[in-house]
Every structure is written in C-alpha cells, then in structure tokens.
Amino acid sequence: MSSQSKPRILFCREEIAAAVSRLASEISKDYRDRHPLLLGVLKGSFMFMADLIRLLDFPLEVEFIRLSSYGRGRESSGKVRVVAGLSSPVKGRDVLVIEDIVDSGLTTSFLLDYLQKKKPASLKLCALTDKPSRWQTAVNIDYLGFTVPDKFLVGYGIDWDERFRNLPDICYLEGED
Ligand code: IMP
Ligand code: MG
C-alpha cells in the first residue's frame, strides 16, 4: 500500500446510516432506563459515536479512552497501552464500549479486561465493523454494524497513517487484496 492508494467504497453513507439506525434501536431497547456510560475508543470511533448517540433519545453519558497498539503499519503489535485514560468513574456503571474495528481482537480484549477490573455494573461492546478472518483472540461483540473482509479500511473516522478519516463512506485501500 502506498500513499497513492485510492480508497474504494465498501459501505456507502446510506448503508452506514441504516446500520447505525438498527444499532441505535437495539441499544435503546437494552439501555433506555439505565443511564449508560458510552465509552468511545479514540480516534477511530468518533464519527460513529457522534451519529449513534444522536439517535439515542434517553439519558446517557459520553466518555472516551485512547489506546495505542498500532504503529504506522497495519498489524497490531499486540502490546496495548492506555494513552489517554478515563475521567469518569466506571464502577457500578452500565458501560457500553464503542469501537470502530475488531481486527485481531487484541486491543478490544485488553480494553474489556482493563474495564472489568474497575467493576462496572455491566460491560458490553458495540463495534462498527468486525474482521473475523483476522481474529487472534475471541471477542464477544454485543452490537455489530458490519462483518467485513480482510481489507484495510479507511473513512468514516477510520484512518491509514492519520489520513482518510474525513471520508463519509467506509472504504478500503486498493492494493491490499
Ligand atoms: P486489533 O487490536 O487488531 O483488533 O485492532 C484494533 C484497532 O486497530 C482498531 O480499533 C483500529 O483502530 C485499528 N485497525 C484495525 N484494522 C484496521 C483497518 O483496517 N483500518 C484502520 N485501522 C485498523
Ligand atoms: Mg480503534
């Protein structure tokens, strides 16, 4: 993949809007009276989170965490660090983690273990995309937008080397397949 790679659309904005709306209905059913803490994993989930919460018409709180496992390449190093932590307490809260991609699963399983130690009342995962072909560890995804093939995704908040987050569609980079 080079800086010349041209993004191709995998899911267009209308398909994304339909998926986000379906997820919002599922989440509303389960969380309406629970005042949940929605925890977005930066940076990739910011656009998804913004669209999702606008469809949730009940009291909730928003929090973010930033993790690092990737360098500039596409493989997870498997060594996950919390780069910017939580400012809201998690203990006793109904926590819903909002992720952009479950790829190897290493980042998400690290985060779920990290949060579980803080004793939330409940802990669930909502992921925009899942690449099951790349899993190195099993992760239970409670709310899933799309199952995706083994391609490098960009757009709708997701980057390659900090580029392409602003694309409104979920795309993949050519030259990856
Ligand atoms: P994992 O630890 O391998 O599951 O990777 C998790 C994180 O890596 C995701 O939340 C993304 O931030 C990043 N990532 C994984 N696959 C891709 C991709 O196709 N495009 C951009 N980022 C990715
Ligand atoms: Mg991420």
Side-chain angles (χ1 to χ4, degrees):
M1 201 158 50
S2 77
S3 56
Q4 302 304 312
S5 299
K6 185 177 162 355
R8 295 268 176 108
I9 294 179
L10 185 60
F11 300 109
C12 68
R13 57 205 84 178
E14 291 81 11
E15 291 171 293
I16 297 170
V20 173
S21 163
R22 170 179 56 79
L23 292 171
S25 307
E26 293 172 20
I27 291 167
S28 298
K29 252 184 242 146
D30 295 346
Y31 285 93
R32 176 161 302 280
D33 302 312
R34 292 165 63 186
H35 198 137
L37 182 65
L38 269 63
L39 177 60
V41 184
L42 291 173
K43 300 177 190 174
S45 70
F46 81 96
M47 206 177 277
F48 175 39
M49 177 90 139
D51 283 346
L52 181 67
I53 64 168
R54 276 180 280 188
L55 300 177
L56 302 180
D57 60 346
F58 55 85
L60 56 80
E61 284 173 42
V62 168
E63 179 60 272
F64 290 98
I65 191 166
R66 185 148 183 218
L67 304 171
S68 145
S69 70
Y70 277 55
R72 293 188 145 222
R74 68 162 293 184
E75 297 294 325
S76 175
S77 66
K79 294 190 189 99
V80 185
R81 285 184 308 123
V82 176
V83 176
L86 300 164
S87 47
S88 308
V90 156
K91 190 170 182 187
R93 301 297 306 269
D94 288 307
V95 177
L96 178 59
V97 172
I98 311 290
E99 258 287 20
D100 55 353
I101 303 178
V102 177
D103 186 82
S104 69
L106 296 171
T107 306
T108 312
S109 57
F110 166 89
L111 176 60
L112 294 175
D113 285 352
Y114 173 86
L115 293 170
Q116 199 64 62
K117 289 189 188 123
K118 298 185 182 295
K119 305 208 183 313
S122 70
L123 181 59
K124 284 191 177 186
L125 172 65
C126 172
L128 177 64
T129 66
D130 175 31
K131 281 193 228 170
S133 59
R134 291 182 46 87
W135 276 27
Q136 292 179 36
T137 182
V139 175
N140 182 49
I141 303 175
D142 301 283
Y143 308 94
L144 174 64
F146 302 101
T147 299
V148 296
D150 183 7
K151 292 181 180 297
F152 196 81
L153 306 182
V154 294
Y156 196 64
I158 300 163
D159 75 307
W160 173 64
D161 202 10
E162 296 302 326
R163 292 181 57 195
F164 305 118
R165 291 194 198 274
N166 51 324
L167 299 178
D169 308 297
I170 297 176
C171 301
Y172 64 95
L173 290 181
E174 265 187 298
E176 270 298 296
D177 47 3

